[in-house]
Amino acid sequence: MRLDKFLKVSRLIKRRTVANEACDAGRVMVNGTVAKASVKVKAGDIIEIQFGTKTVKVEVLIIQETTKKEEAKEMFRYL
């Protein structure tokens, strides 16, 4: 699954266009390297997102094309 779509489906970022812009600005890293929106993510990957001064670090647990709001938190684990 594309990184920008994963961020939207997992609700780490609310809209895909915002996820795309964050990737273009270099604020998203996958496994320690700056990632573009088109990077494929898989279970076990570590994603770091910079929100201003705060950094969120998560591990991808499962990949799903769609999910309900309540189940979105099961797609990743905070580190």
Side-chain angles (χ1 to χ4, degrees), residues 41-69:
V41 293
K42 58 191 179 309
D45 284 350
I46 306 296
I47 300 175
E48 286 184 61
I49 310 165
Q50 294 176 345
F51 294 107
T53 58
K54 190 174 100 174
T55 301
V56 175
K57 190 172 183 179
V58 297
E59 178 184 2
V60 179
L61 299 178
I62 57 173
I63 301 291
Q64 294 178 332
E65 290 296 319
T66 60
T67 185
K68 293 184 176 133
K69 186 178 179 182

Side-chain angles (χ1 to χ4, degrees), residues 19-45:
N20 240 318
E21 291 166 2
C23 293
D24 291 343
R27 294 188 309 232
V28 182
M29 297 173 66
V30 176
N31 297 327
T33 59
V34 176
K36 293 185 177 180
S38 60
V39 168
K40 301 288 184 206
V41 293
K42 58 191 179 309
D45 284 350

